Amino acid sequence: MKKMLYIAGLALALGQLTTAQEEVLLVDEQPASGEETDSRQMWQDFLQTSSEMWFLLSGIGSQEDADKAASRFRELVQTTYELDNKLSSMPLISPDAECVGMMDGVQMRILETLDEMHVEFVSLCRANCYGSEVLREAFREAVRMGMFAEEDLALMKQPGAPLTDVESQAEIVRILRLQGPDRAVLELLLTVRDEKTASNAVVALMHLSQDFAALQPAQLRINRDFSPTMAGTAHEAMAAIEPVLWAIRSEIVRIAALPGYEAETYDSFSDALDRVFEGLESTHCVLFNSVFDASFRADLESALQENNLSSQ
């Protein structure tokens, strides 16, 4: 999944530039003007801040996580707000400046990171910030500052009453039906070893993304606990599919480290895998964040580093 892999590597790329990247920064024969240098640094700071915010939000999977993240989220929102104000007041870089090409790349990365960050923000709103009032208030503050849209907050609803026995049974049946596409995804990913096998998997992945689309939970059952009498059965159903999700996680990281994975030849496979990953997230409401957590992002970052080293 190149999209997630790409963004997972932004913090790494910003924190420690490779020799090749340093050469790009030093390509100018003439020293950059003070304004160009300041603008370049602020765009890099903006990218690093937005990337860190994405990592922070993507690692929240419980009320404890949300409570711990609230303070840092506030700090990052404030930093982003200040950088945005400074950048909006900066003069545009002259068209013939050597750094224009690099700045376009940084700005594109920022747009992609902000898009991913918004996905995480909306997801946490739907989860009601896992009951964390401090994070909910931090989210409201971010909206007031213009960081996110008012309609996003409309998704933040208090958990409803527990599911009835009938509703719980229907949800358990839906969860058990996920075993088929889950195992099919795992078996397909196990076959991916190179560009050819990745290309061969594209059509099947797209079909599986449609299978997940047909297994979405009913909106009225989202963010509600199982009925007390059905909680044990629900736990058994989720325990049956959780090991498969962990195996899928391992395969995604393995594939991300394949030599040449960032090449265009993997784009179709990567796009199809992104669709499947989104399907996993929307259908495995309870288990997803506990499996594909912050450590998963760290594993992807390591895979990216391994990939870069092997391609040098």
Side-chain angles (χ1 to χ4, degrees):
M1 50 191 313
K2 190 176 300 182
K3 187 175 183 181
M4 178 168 290
L5 174 66
Y6 177 73
I7 294 178
L10 292 182
L12 174 66
L14 287 168
Q16 184 174 5
L17 293 173
T18 65
T19 301
Q21 288 170 319
E22 289 173 350
E23 290 174 355
V24 170
L25 292 179
L26 298 175
V27 70
D28 299 22
E29 293 183 3
Q30 299 296 326
S33 70
E35 288 180 349
E36 289 172 1
T37 300
D38 290 345
S39 177
R40 181 187 304 180
Q41 184 59 55
M42 276 193 283
W43 279 114
Q44 292 281 3
D45 290 345
F46 195 104
L47 175 56
Q48 186 168 9
T49 301
S50 56
S51 180
E52 183 181 347
M53 191 184 299
W54 179 81
F55 269 97
L56 182 73
L57 295 180
S58 66
I60 297 174
S62 66
Q63 182 175 344
E64 182 181 4
D65 292 339
D67 288 342
K68 289 180 179 178
S71 176
R72 183 58 182 157
F73 175 76
R74 275 196 168 96
E75 293 173 0
L76 292 171
V77 167
Q78 182 63 35
T79 300
T80 301
Y81 180 78
E82 292 170 359
L83 284 169
D84 183 61
N85 285 337
K86 290 178 181 178
L87 285 167
S88 64
S89 65
M90 290 284 293
L92 295 175
I93 298 174
S94 58
D96 59 345
E98 292 285 348
C99 62
V100 166
M102 188 191 74
M103 292 310 303
D104 286 345
V106 170
Q107 291 163 7
M108 182 61 68
R109 291 181 185 179
I110 289 172
L111 290 175
E112 292 181 353
T113 308
L114 291 176
D115 180 59
E116 292 293 319
M117 184 171 62
H118 180 251
V119 170
E120 296 298 335
F121 183 85
V122 169
S123 177
L124 287 168
C125 284
R126 287 198 174 105
N128 196 38
C129 293
Y130 293 96
S132 171
E133 181 54 38
V134 287
L135 186 62
R136 284 196 292 258
E137 181 52 37
F139 275 19
R140 296 186 192 104
E141 184 178 327
V143 169
R144 288 194 292 270
M145 295 176 70
M147 188 78 186
F148 299 97
E150 287 280 356
E151 51 264 32
D152 294 337
L153 282 184
L155 301 170
M156 194 185 298
K157 300 177 181 179
Q158 295 293 333
L163 298 170
T164 65
D165 285 351
V166 173
E167 289 173 325
S168 295
Q169 182 61 47
E171 181 63 7
I172 290 169
V173 169
R174 185 191 70 84
I175 291 172
L176 291 173
R177 289 178 61 196
L178 289 169
Q179 292 182 85
D182 283 355
R183 292 188 182 280
V185 169
L186 176 58
E187 291 171 2
L188 197 58
L189 295 184
L190 286 167
T191 68
V192 177
R193 298 290 172 180
D194 51 29
E195 294 176 4
K196 181 179 180 180
T197 51
S199 296
N200 291 341
V202 171
V203 173
L205 283 174
M206 294 303 293
H207 284 309
L208 285 168
S209 70
Q210 295 172 5
D211 291 342
F212 286 119
L215 289 171
Q216 298 291 317
Q219 287 295 316
L220 291 176
R221 297 202 294 266
I222 294 177
N223 203 26
R224 294 171 63 190
D225 293 332
F226 290 95
S227 67
T229 56
M230 300 297 292
T233 305
H235 177 75
E236 292 175 0
M238 288 186 286
I241 63 176
E242 186 172 8
V244 181
L245 292 181
W246 280 99
I248 290 173
R249 166 183 162 147
S250 297
E251 288 305 301
I252 289 174
V253 174
R254 177 189 64 79
I255 292 170
L258 288 176
Y261 182 72
E262 290 188 297
E264 292 182 2
T265 48
Y266 278 96
D267 281 354
S268 295
F269 169 81
S270 183
D271 290 342
L273 183 54
D274 280 335
R275 293 278 297 274
V276 167
F277 191 80
E278 291 168 0
L280 289 170
E281 181 176 16
S282 60
T283 54
H284 296 75
C285 309
V286 177
L287 290 174
F288 184 85
N289 285 328
S290 64
V291 175
F292 300 96
D293 57 5
S295 66
F296 170 62
R297 272 72 180 182
D299 289 345
L300 281 178
E301 183 177 324
S302 297
L304 174 65
Q305 186 174 27
E306 181 181 341
N307 199 319
N308 285 337
L309 289 174
S310 64
S311 64
Q312 291 177 2

mmCIF file with all atom_site columns, all heavy atoms in Angstrom, residues 162-175 221 224-231 233-234:
data_model
loop_
_atom_site.group_PDB
_atom_site.id
_atom_site.type_symbol
_atom_site.label_atom_id
_atom_site.label_alt_id
_atom_site.label_comp_id
_atom_site.label_asym_id
_atom_site.label_entity_id
_atom_site.label_seq_id
_atom_site.pdbx_PDB_ins_code
_atom_site.Cartn_x
_atom_site.Cartn_y
_atom_site.Cartn_z
_atom_site.occupancy
_atom_site.B_iso_or_equiv
_atom_site.pdbx_formal_charge
_atom_site.auth_seq_id
_atom_site.auth_comp_id
_atom_site.auth_asym_id
_atom_site.auth_atom_id
_atom_site.pdbx_PDB_model_num
ATOM 1   N N   . PRO A 1 162 ? -26.740 0.176   24.313 1.00 0.00 ? 162 PRO A N   1
ATOM 2   C CA  . PRO A 1 162 ? -26.237 -1.125  23.830 1.00 0.00 ? 162 PRO A CA  1
ATOM 3   C C   . PRO A 1 162 ? -27.173 -1.728  22.798 1.00 0.00 ? 162 PRO A C   1
ATOM 4   O O   . PRO A 1 162 ? -28.381 -1.483  22.802 1.00 0.00 ? 162 PRO A O   1
ATOM 5   C CB  . PRO A 1 162 ? -26.194 -1.969  25.113 1.00 0.00 ? 162 PRO A CB  1
ATOM 6   C CG  . PRO A 1 162 ? -26.061 -0.983  26.218 1.00 0.00 ? 162 PRO A CG  1
ATOM 7   C CD  . PRO A 1 162 ? -26.849 0.226   25.779 1.00 0.00 ? 162 PRO A CD  1
ATOM 8   N N   . LEU A 1 163 ? -26.604 -2.505  21.916 1.00 0.00 ? 163 LEU A N   1
ATOM 9   C CA  . LEU A 1 163 ? -27.409 -3.198  20.918 1.00 0.00 ? 163 LEU A CA  1
ATOM 10  C C   . LEU A 1 163 ? -28.387 -4.151  21.596 1.00 0.00 ? 163 LEU A C   1
ATOM 11  O O   . LEU A 1 163 ? -28.096 -4.702  22.665 1.00 0.00 ? 163 LEU A O   1
ATOM 12  C CB  . LEU A 1 163 ? -26.511 -3.996  19.977 1.00 0.00 ? 163 LEU A CB  1
ATOM 13  C CG  . LEU A 1 163 ? -25.494 -3.211  19.131 1.00 0.00 ? 163 LEU A CG  1
ATOM 14  C CD1 . LEU A 1 163 ? -24.532 -4.170  18.452 1.00 0.00 ? 163 LEU A CD1 1
ATOM 15  C CD2 . LEU A 1 163 ? -26.203 -2.341  18.101 1.00 0.00 ? 163 LEU A CD2 1
ATOM 16  N N   . THR A 1 164 ? -29.525 -4.330  20.995 1.00 0.00 ? 164 THR A N   1
ATOM 17  C CA  . THR A 1 164 ? -30.445 -5.353  21.490 1.00 0.00 ? 164 THR A CA  1
ATOM 18  C C   . THR A 1 164 ? -29.876 -6.722  21.138 1.00 0.00 ? 164 THR A C   1
ATOM 19  O O   . THR A 1 164 ? -28.909 -6.844  20.363 1.00 0.00 ? 164 THR A O   1
ATOM 20  C CB  . THR A 1 164 ? -31.828 -5.199  20.837 1.00 0.00 ? 164 THR A CB  1
ATOM 21  O OG1 . THR A 1 164 ? -31.696 -5.448  19.423 1.00 0.00 ? 164 THR A OG1 1
ATOM 22  C CG2 . THR A 1 164 ? -32.375 -3.791  21.060 1.00 0.00 ? 164 THR A CG2 1
ATOM 23  N N   . ASP A 1 165 ? -30.471 -7.774  21.677 1.00 0.00 ? 165 ASP A N   1
ATOM 24  C CA  . ASP A 1 165 ? -30.007 -9.125  21.349 1.00 0.00 ? 165 ASP A CA  1
ATOM 25  C C   . ASP A 1 165 ? -30.133 -9.393  19.848 1.00 0.00 ? 165 ASP A C   1
ATOM 26  O O   . ASP A 1 165 ? -29.252 -10.007 19.238 1.00 0.00 ? 165 ASP A O   1
ATOM 27  C CB  . ASP A 1 165 ? -30.813 -10.168 22.131 1.00 0.00 ? 165 ASP A CB  1
ATOM 28  C CG  . ASP A 1 165 ? -30.413 -10.227 23.596 1.00 0.00 ? 165 ASP A CG  1
ATOM 29  O OD1 . ASP A 1 165 ? -29.397 -9.585  23.953 1.00 0.00 ? 165 ASP A OD1 1
ATOM 30  O OD2 . ASP A 1 165 ? -31.108 -10.908 24.371 1.00 0.00 ? 165 ASP A OD2 1
ATOM 31  N N   . VAL A 1 166 ? -31.236 -8.928  19.255 1.00 0.00 ? 166 VAL A N   1
ATOM 32  C CA  . VAL A 1 166 ? -31.440 -9.143  17.818 1.00 0.00 ? 166 VAL A CA  1
ATOM 33  C C   . VAL A 1 166 ? -30.392 -8.386  17.002 1.00 0.00 ? 166 VAL A C   1
ATOM 34  O O   . VAL A 1 166 ? -29.798 -8.918  16.056 1.00 0.00 ? 166 VAL A O   1
ATOM 35  C CB  . VAL A 1 166 ? -32.861 -8.703  17.403 1.00 0.00 ? 166 VAL A CB  1
ATOM 36  C CG1 . VAL A 1 166 ? -33.015 -8.750  15.881 1.00 0.00 ? 166 VAL A CG1 1
ATOM 37  C CG2 . VAL A 1 166 ? -33.900 -9.582  18.073 1.00 0.00 ? 166 VAL A CG2 1
ATOM 38  N N   . GLU A 1 167 ? -30.135 -7.131  17.371 1.00 0.00 ? 167 GLU A N   1
ATOM 39  C CA  . GLU A 1 167 ? -29.121 -6.334  16.675 1.00 0.00 ? 167 GLU A CA  1
ATOM 40  C C   . GLU A 1 167 ? -27.735 -6.940  16.871 1.00 0.00 ? 167 GLU A C   1
ATOM 41  O O   . GLU A 1 167 ? -26.918 -6.983  15.943 1.00 0.00 ? 167 GLU A O   1
ATOM 42  C CB  . GLU A 1 167 ? -29.137 -4.897  17.188 1.00 0.00 ? 167 GLU A CB  1
ATOM 43  C CG  . GLU A 1 167 ? -30.367 -4.090  16.773 1.00 0.00 ? 167 GLU A CG  1
ATOM 44  C CD  . GLU A 1 167 ? -30.412 -2.741  17.454 1.00 0.00 ? 167 GLU A CD  1
ATOM 45  O OE1 . GLU A 1 167 ? -29.986 -2.649  18.638 1.00 0.00 ? 167 GLU A OE1 1
ATOM 46  O OE2 . GLU A 1 167 ? -30.867 -1.771  16.816 1.00 0.00 ? 167 GLU A OE2 1
ATOM 47  N N   . SER A 1 168 ? -27.456 -7.396  18.072 1.00 0.00 ? 168 SER A N   1
ATOM 48  C CA  . SER A 1 168 ? -26.157 -8.024  18.359 1.00 0.00 ? 168 SER A CA  1
ATOM 49  C C   . SER A 1 168 ? -25.959 -9.266  17.509 1.00 0.00 ? 168 SER A C   1
ATOM 50  O O   . SER A 1 168 ? -24.880 -9.501  16.953 1.00 0.00 ? 168 SER A O   1
ATOM 51  C CB  . SER A 1 168 ? -26.059 -8.384  19.847 1.00 0.00 ? 168 SER A CB  1
ATOM 52  O OG  . SER A 1 168 ? -26.069 -7.237  20.658 1.00 0.00 ? 168 SER A OG  1
ATOM 53  N N   . GLN A 1 169 ? -27.005 -10.072 17.394 1.00 0.00 ? 169 GLN A N   1
ATOM 54  C CA  . GLN A 1 169 ? -26.915 -11.286 16.592 1.00 0.00 ? 169 GLN A CA  1
ATOM 55  C C   . GLN A 1 169 ? -26.631 -10.953 15.131 1.00 0.00 ? 169 GLN A C   1
ATOM 56  O O   . GLN A 1 169 ? -25.808 -11.602 14.475 1.00 0.00 ? 169 GLN A O   1
ATOM 57  C CB  . GLN A 1 169 ? -28.207 -12.086 16.706 1.00 0.00 ? 169 GLN A CB  1
ATOM 58  C CG  . GLN A 1 169 ? -28.197 -13.410 15.947 1.00 0.00 ? 169 GLN A CG  1
ATOM 59  C CD  . GLN A 1 169 ? -27.125 -14.356 16.448 1.00 0.00 ? 169 GLN A CD  1
ATOM 60  O OE1 . GLN A 1 169 ? -26.986 -14.555 17.653 1.00 0.00 ? 169 GLN A OE1 1
ATOM 61  N NE2 . GLN A 1 169 ? -26.362 -14.947 15.533 1.00 0.00 ? 169 GLN A NE2 1
ATOM 62  N N   . ALA A 1 170 ? -27.298 -9.926  14.623 1.00 0.00 ? 170 ALA A N   1
ATOM 63  C CA  . ALA A 1 170 ? -27.082 -9.521  13.227 1.00 0.00 ? 170 ALA A CA  1
ATOM 64  C C   . ALA A 1 170 ? -25.647 -9.036  13.028 1.00 0.00 ? 170 ALA A C   1
ATOM 65  O O   . ALA A 1 170 ? -25.018 -9.333  11.996 1.00 0.00 ? 170 ALA A O   1
ATOM 66  C CB  . ALA A 1 170 ? -28.071 -8.425  12.849 1.00 0.00 ? 170 ALA A CB  1
ATOM 67  N N   . GLU A 1 171 ? -25.121 -8.314  13.996 1.00 0.00 ? 171 GLU A N   1
ATOM 68  C CA  . GLU A 1 171 ? -23.743 -7.815  13.888 1.00 0.00 ? 171 GLU A CA  1
ATOM 69  C C   . GLU A 1 171 ? -22.744 -8.961  13.973 1.00 0.00 ? 171 GLU A C   1
ATOM 70  O O   . GLU A 1 171 ? -21.725 -8.974  13.266 1.00 0.00 ? 171 GLU A O   1
ATOM 71  C CB  . GLU A 1 171 ? -23.485 -6.772  14.982 1.00 0.00 ? 171 GLU A CB  1
ATOM 72  C CG  . GLU A 1 171 ? -22.098 -6.158  14.970 1.00 0.00 ? 171 GLU A CG  1
ATOM 73  C CD  . GLU A 1 171 ? -21.774 -5.365  13.719 1.00 0.00 ? 171 GLU A CD  1
ATOM 74  O OE1 . GLU A 1 171 ? -22.675 -5.154  12.868 1.00 0.00 ? 171 GLU A OE1 1
ATOM 75  O OE2 . GLU A 1 171 ? -20.604 -4.976  13.576 1.00 0.00 ? 171 GLU A OE2 1
ATOM 76  N N   . ILE A 1 172 ? -23.006 -9.932  14.819 1.00 0.00 ? 172 ILE A N   1
ATOM 77  C CA  . ILE A 1 172 ? -22.118 -11.099 14.932 1.00 0.00 ? 172 ILE A CA  1
ATOM 78  C C   . ILE A 1 172 ? -22.100 -11.886 13.628 1.00 0.00 ? 172 ILE A C   1
ATOM 79  O O   . ILE A 1 172 ? -21.044 -12.337 13.168 1.00 0.00 ? 172 ILE A O   1
ATOM 80  C CB  . ILE A 1 172 ? -22.554 -11.988 16.113 1.00 0.00 ? 172 ILE A CB  1
ATOM 81  C CG1 . ILE A 1 172 ? -22.266 -11.273 17.436 1.00 0.00 ? 172 ILE A CG1 1
ATOM 82  C CG2 . ILE A 1 172 ? -21.848 -13.338 16.081 1.00 0.00 ? 172 ILE A CG2 1
ATOM 83  C CD1 . ILE A 1 172 ? -22.885 -11.925 18.649 1.00 0.00 ? 172 ILE A CD1 1
ATOM 84  N N   . VAL A 1 173 ? -23.257 -12.044 13.010 1.00 0.00 ? 173 VAL A N   1
ATOM 85  C CA  . VAL A 1 173 ? -23.327 -12.737 11.717 1.00 0.00 ? 173 VAL A CA  1
ATOM 86  C C   . VAL A 1 173 ? -22.496 -11.987 10.682 1.00 0.00 ? 173 VAL A C   1
ATOM 87  O O   . VAL A 1 173 ? -21.753 -12.595 9.889  1.00 0.00 ? 173 VAL A O   1
ATOM 88  C CB  . VAL A 1 173 ? -24.792 -12.865 11.249 1.00 0.00 ? 173 VAL A CB  1
ATOM 89  C CG1 . VAL A 1 173 ? -24.850 -13.326 9.793  1.00 0.00 ? 173 VAL A CG1 1
ATOM 90  C CG2 . VAL A 1 173 ? -25.555 -13.822 12.146 1.00 0.00 ? 173 VAL A CG2 1
ATOM 91  N N   . ARG A 1 174 ? -22.587 -10.656 10.686 1.00 0.00 ? 174 ARG A N   1
ATOM 92  C CA  . ARG A 1 174 ? -21.798 -9.853  9.743  1.00 0.00 ? 174 ARG A CA  1
ATOM 93  C C   . ARG A 1 174 ? -20.299 -10.056 9.982  1.00 0.00 ? 174 ARG A C   1
ATOM 94  O O   . ARG A 1 174 ? -19.513 -10.221 9.033  1.00 0.00 ? 174 ARG A O   1
ATOM 95  C CB  . ARG A 1 174 ? -22.148 -8.365  9.892  1.00 0.00 ? 174 ARG A CB  1
ATOM 96  C CG  . ARG A 1 174 ? -21.454 -7.468  8.868  1.00 0.00 ? 174 ARG A CG  1
ATOM 97  C CD  . ARG A 1 174 ? -21.610 -5.998  9.215  1.00 0.00 ? 174 ARG A CD  1
ATOM 98  N NE  . ARG A 1 174 ? -20.848 -5.638  10.399 1.00 0.00 ? 174 ARG A NE  1
ATOM 99  C CZ  . ARG A 1 174 ? -19.553 -5.317  10.372 1.00 0.00 ? 174 ARG A CZ  1
ATOM 100 N NH1 . ARG A 1 174 ? -18.881 -5.325  9.239  1.00 0.00 ? 174 ARG A NH1 1
ATOM 101 N NH2 . ARG A 1 174 ? -18.932 -4.988  11.493 1.00 0.00 ? 174 ARG A NH2 1
ATOM 102 N N   . ILE A 1 175 ? -19.899 -10.055 11.241 1.00 0.00 ? 175 ILE A N   1
ATOM 103 C CA  . ILE A 1 175 ? -18.478 -10.243 11.580 1.00 0.00 ? 175 ILE A CA  1
ATOM 104 C C   . ILE A 1 175 ? -17.986 -11.598 11.096 1.00 0.00 ? 175 ILE A C   1
ATOM 105 O O   . ILE A 1 175 ? -16.896 -11.722 10.515 1.00 0.00 ? 175 ILE A O   1
ATOM 106 C CB  . ILE A 1 175 ? -18.272 -10.083 13.094 1.00 0.00 ? 175 ILE A CB  1
ATOM 107 C CG1 . ILE A 1 175 ? -18.488 -8.620  13.505 1.00 0.00 ? 175 ILE A CG1 1
ATOM 108 C CG2 . ILE A 1 175 ? -16.868 -10.550 13.509 1.00 0.00 ? 175 ILE A CG2 1
ATOM 109 C CD1 . ILE A 1 175 ? -18.496 -8.394  15.007 1.00 0.00 ? 175 ILE A CD1 1
ATOM 110 N N   . ARG A 1 221 ? -25.877 0.575   14.062 1.00 0.00 ? 221 ARG A N   1
ATOM 111 C CA  . ARG A 1 221 ? -25.176 -0.321  14.975 1.00 0.00 ? 221 ARG A CA  1
ATOM 112 C C   . ARG A 1 221 ? -23.749 0.133   15.277 1.00 0.00 ? 221 ARG A C   1
ATOM 113 O O   . ARG A 1 221 ? -23.055 -0.475  16.074 1.00 0.00 ? 221 ARG A O   1
ATOM 114 C CB  . ARG A 1 221 ? -25.153 -1.748  14.411 1.00 0.00 ? 221 ARG A CB  1
ATOM 115 C CG  . ARG A 1 221 ? -26.531 -2.363  14.270 1.00 0.00 ? 221 ARG A CG  1
ATOM 116 C CD  . ARG A 1 221 ? -26.477 -3.877  14.244 1.00 0.00 ? 221 ARG A CD  1
ATOM 117 N NE  . ARG A 1 221 ? -25.797 -4.421  13.081 1.00 0.00 ? 221 ARG A NE  1
ATOM 118 C CZ  . ARG A 1 221 ? -26.400 -4.798  11.967 1.00 0.00 ? 221 ARG A CZ  1
ATOM 119 N NH1 . ARG A 1 221 ? -27.718 -4.657  11.841 1.00 0.00 ? 221 ARG A NH1 1
ATOM 120 N NH2 . ARG A 1 221 ? -25.726 -5.308  10.951 1.00 0.00 ? 221 ARG A NH2 1
ATOM 121 N N   . ARG A 1 224 ? -21.818 1.285   19.228 1.00 0.00 ? 224 ARG A N   1
ATOM 122 C CA  . ARG A 1 224 ? -22.678 0.769   20.307 1.00 0.00 ? 224 ARG A CA  1
ATOM 123 C C   . ARG A 1 224 ? -22.138 -0.574  20.773 1.00 0.00 ? 224 ARG A C   1
ATOM 124 O O   . ARG A 1 224 ? -21.656 -1.383  19.973 1.00 0.00 ? 224 ARG A O   1
ATOM 125 C CB  . ARG A 1 224 ? -24.121 0.617   19.804 1.00 0.00 ? 224 ARG A CB  1
ATOM 126 C CG  . ARG A 1 224 ? -24.799 1.931   19.470 1.00 0.00 ? 224 ARG A CG  1
ATOM 127 C CD  . ARG A 1 224 ? -26.127 1.703   18.768 1.00 0.00 ? 224 ARG A CD  1
ATOM 128 N NE  . ARG A 1 224 ? -27.089 1.005   19.598 1.00 0.00 ? 224 ARG A NE  1
ATOM 129 C CZ  . ARG A 1 224 ? -28.245 0.527   19.163 1.00 0.00 ? 224 ARG A CZ  1
ATOM 130 N NH1 . ARG A 1 224 ? -28.584 0.675   17.887 1.00 0.00 ? 224 ARG A NH1 1
ATOM 131 N NH2 . ARG A 1 224 ? -29.072 -0.105  19.973 1.00 0.00 ? 224 ARG A NH2 1
ATOM 132 N N   . ASP A 1 225 ? -22.204 -0.804  22.059 1.00 0.00 ? 225 ASP A N   1
ATOM 133 C CA  . ASP A 1 225 ? -21.730 -2.062  22.621 1.00 0.00 ? 225 ASP A CA  1
ATOM 134 C C   . ASP A 1 225 ? -22.722 -3.183  22.326 1.00 0.00 ? 225 ASP A C   1
ATOM 135 O O   . ASP A 1 225 ? -23.908 -2.943  22.067 1.00 0.00 ? 225 ASP A O   1
ATOM 136 C CB  . ASP A 1 225 ? -21.568 -1.933  24.139 1.00 0.00 ? 225 ASP A CB  1
ATOM 137 C CG  . ASP A 1 225 ? -20.451 -0.983  24.521 1.00 0.00 ? 225 ASP A CG  1
ATOM 138 O OD1 . ASP A 1 225 ? -19.495 -0.838  23.725 1.00 0.00 ? 225 ASP A OD1 1
ATOM 139 O OD2 . ASP A 1 225 ? -20.529 -0.375  25.609 1.00 0.00 ? 225 ASP A OD2 1
ATOM 140 N N   . PHE A 1 226 ? -22.199 -4.415  22.382 1.00 0.00 ? 226 PHE A N   1
ATOM 141 C CA  . PHE A 1 226 ? -23.085 -5.564  22.248 1.00 0.00 ? 226 PHE A CA  1
ATOM 142 C C   . PHE A 1 226 ? -23.946 -5.703  23.500 1.00 0.00 ? 226 PHE A C   1
ATOM 143 O O   . PHE A 1 226 ? -23.577 -5.232  24.583 1.00 0.00 ? 226 PHE A O   1
ATOM 144 C CB  . PHE A 1 226 ? -22.268 -6.839  22.033 1.00 0.00 ? 226 PHE A CB  1
ATOM 145 C CG  . PHE A 1 226 ? -21.605 -6.916  20.693 1.00 0.00 ? 226 PHE A CG  1
ATOM 146 C CD1 . PHE A 1 226 ? -20.291 -6.508  20.522 1.00 0.00 ? 226 PHE A CD1 1
ATOM 147 C CD2 . PHE A 1 226 ? -22.305 -7.383  19.582 1.00 0.00 ? 226 PHE A CD2 1
ATOM 148 C CE1 . PHE A 1 226 ? -19.675 -6.570  19.286 1.00 0.00 ? 226 PHE A CE1 1
ATOM 149 C CE2 . PHE A 1 226 ? -21.698 -7.445  18.336 1.00 0.00 ? 226 PHE A CE2 1
ATOM 150 C CZ  . PHE A 1 226 ? -20.382 -7.038  18.187 1.00 0.00 ? 226 PHE A CZ  1
ATOM 151 N N   . SER A 1 227 ? -25.075 -6.349  23.344 1.00 0.00 ? 227 SER A N   1
ATOM 152 C CA  . SER A 1 227 ? -25.929 -6.586  24.505 1.00 0.00 ? 227 SER A CA  1
ATOM 153 C C   . SER A 1 227 ? -25.188 -7.482  25.488 1.00 0.00 ? 227 SER A C   1
ATOM 154 O O   . SER A 1 227 ? -24.365 -8.319  25.085 1.00 0.00 ? 227 SER A O   1
ATOM 155 C CB  . SER A 1 227 ? -27.246 -7.245  24.076 1.00 0.00 ? 227 SER A CB  1
ATOM 156 O OG  . SER A 1 227 ? -26.996 -8.554  23.577 1.00 0.00 ? 227 SER A OG  1
ATOM 157 N N   . PRO A 1 228 ? -25.429 -7.334  26.777 1.00 0.00 ? 228 PRO A N   1
ATOM 158 C CA  . PRO A 1 228 ? -24.710 -8.134  27.778 1.00 0.00 ? 228 PRO A CA  1
ATOM 159 C C   . PRO A 1 228 ? -24.809 -9.636  27.533 1.00 0.00 ? 228 PRO A C   1
ATOM 160 O O   . PRO A 1 228 ? -23.833 -10.363 27.726 1.00 0.00 ? 228 PRO A O   1
ATOM 161 C CB  . PRO A 1 228 ? -25.396 -7.734  29.089 1.00 0.00 ? 228 PRO A CB  1
ATOM 162 C CG  . PRO A 1 228 ? -25.909 -6.354  28.845 1.00 0.00 ? 228 PRO A CG  1
ATOM 163 C CD  . PRO A 1 228 ? -26.345 -6.353  27.409 1.00 0.00 ? 228 PRO A CD  1
ATOM 164 N N   . THR A 1 229 ? -25.958 -10.092 27.081 1.00 0.00 ? 229 THR A N   1
ATOM 165 C CA  . THR A 1 229 ? -26.126 -11.543 26.897 1.00 0.00 ? 229 THR A CA  1
ATOM 166 C C   . THR A 1 229 ? -25.391 -12.066 25.656 1.00 0.00 ? 229 THR A C   1
ATOM 167 O O   . THR A 1 229 ? -25.121 -13.258 25.556 1.00 0.00 ? 229 THR A O   1
ATOM 168 C CB  . THR A 1 229 ? -27.623 -11.891 26.775 1.00 0.00 ? 229 THR A CB  1
ATOM 169 O OG1 . THR A 1 229 ? -28.194 -11.133 25.698 1.00 0.00 ? 229 THR A OG1 1
ATOM 170 C CG2 . THR A 1 229 ? -28.351 -11.588 28.071 1.00 0.00 ? 229 THR A CG2 1
ATOM 171 N N   . MET A 1 230 ? -25.046 -11.152 24.727 1.00 0.00 ? 230 MET A N   1
ATOM 172 C CA  . MET A 1 230 ? -24.389 -11.572 23.490 1.00 0.00 ? 230 MET A CA  1
ATOM 173 C C   . MET A 1 230 ? -22.913 -11.188 23.453 1.00 0.00 ? 230 MET A C   1
ATOM 174 O O   . MET A 1 230 ? -22.218 -11.485 22.475 1.00 0.00 ? 230 MET A O   1
ATOM 175 C CB  . MET A 1 230 ? -25.101 -10.950 22.282 1.00 0.00 ? 230 MET A CB  1
ATOM 176 C CG  . MET A 1 230 ? -26.562 -11.330 22.138 1.00 0.00 ? 230 MET A CG  1
ATOM 177 S SD  . MET A 1 230 ? -26.799 -13.111 21.857 1.00 0.00 ? 230 MET A SD  1
ATOM 178 C CE  . MET A 1 230 ? -26.093 -13.280 20.231 1.00 0.00 ? 230 MET A CE  1
ATOM 179 N N   . ALA A 1 231 ? -22.423 -10.517 24.499 1.00 0.00 ? 231 ALA A N   1
ATOM 180 C CA  . ALA A 1 231 ? -21.041 -10.023 24.484 1.00 0.00 ? 231 ALA A CA  1
ATOM 181 C C   . ALA A 1 231 ? -20.032 -11.157 24.353 1.00 0.00 ? 231 ALA A C   1
ATOM 182 O O   . ALA A 1 231 ? -19.034 -11.037 23.629 1.00 0.00 ? 231 ALA A O   1
ATOM 183 C CB  . ALA A 1 231 ? -20.769 -9.210  25.753 1.00 0.00 ? 231 ALA A CB  1
ATOM 184 N N   . THR A 1 233 ? -20.412 -14.153 22.949 1.00 0.00 ? 233 THR A N   1
ATOM 185 C CA  . THR A 1 233 ? -20.460 -14.691 21.582 1.00 0.00 ? 233 THR A CA  1
ATOM 186 C C   . THR A 1 233 ? -19.766 -13.741 20.610 1.00 0.00 ? 233 THR A C   1
ATOM 187 O O   . THR A 1 233 ? -19.050 -14.176 19.694 1.00 0.00 ? 233 THR A O   1
ATOM 188 C CB  . THR A 1 233 ? -21.916 -14.898 21.145 1.00 0.00 ? 233 THR A CB  1
ATOM 189 O OG1 . THR A 1 233 ? -22.584 -15.729 22.088 1.00 0.00 ? 233 THR A OG1 1
ATOM 190 C CG2 . THR A 1 233 ? -21.983 -15.546 19.771 1.00 0.00 ? 233 THR A CG2 1
ATOM 191 N N   . ALA A 1 234 ? -19.959 -12.441 20.814 1.00 0.00 ? 234 ALA A N   1
ATOM 192 C CA  . ALA A 1 234 ? -19.308 -11.450 19.952 1.00 0.00 ? 234 ALA A CA  1
ATOM 193 C C   . ALA A 1 234 ? -17.789 -11.521 20.104 1.00 0.00 ? 234 ALA A C   1
ATOM 194 O O   . ALA A 1 234 ? -17.050 -11.440 19.116 1.00 0.00 ? 234 ALA A O   1
ATOM 195 C CB  . ALA A 1 234 ? -19.812 -10.053 20.298 1.00 0.00 ? 234 ALA A CB  1
#
